[in-house]
Amino acid sequence: MPFSSHHIDELNLLAMFDLSSAQEGLKVHQHSAAPEMVAAAERLHSKGLITQKDGGYLTSLGSETAEHAQRVLSVLTSQ
């Protein structure tokens, strides 16, 4: 099954989290963020990966998922 555009948006948002600190979150501002990022944040929240529908912090499942997403991105962008 290929990644949908929604999956790509969610992966891009997960890739923005700083995994070196559980105390750093993200805020997806509804009025200034791209609409697809706002929707991605809402979907990630409904899936239990982030704590707030507009960002917040990664849950434990979200942290694990973001780690995998960032690892995939690193492999795909390596030379």
Side-chain angles (χ1 to χ4, degrees):
M1 173 171 86
F3 290 109
S4 71
S5 60
H6 286 174
H7 292 139
I8 299 299
D9 294 339
E10 293 169 11
L11 290 168
N12 282 330
L13 190 56
L14 288 170
M16 293 179 186
F17 280 91
D18 180 1
L19 298 178
S20 66
S21 172
Q23 300 303 315
E24 283 195 45
L26 288 180
K27 180 72 171 176
V28 181
H29 296 277
Q30 187 170 5
H31 300 292
S32 59
E36 60 271 11
M37 289 295 104
V38 172
E42 290 174 359
R43 288 191 304 274
L44 290 174
H45 178 257
S46 71
K47 294 174 183 177
L49 299 176
I50 58 177
T51 60
Q52 301 292 321
K53 73 176 194 166
D54 62 349
Y57 300 97
L58 292 167
T59 64
S60 58
L61 177 60
S63 181
E64 183 179 337
T65 305
E67 184 178 334
H68 290 297
Q70 291 181 21
R71 189 170 296 146
V72 167
L73 183 59
S74 175
V75 169
L76 293 177
T77 58
S78 68
Q79 297 288 351

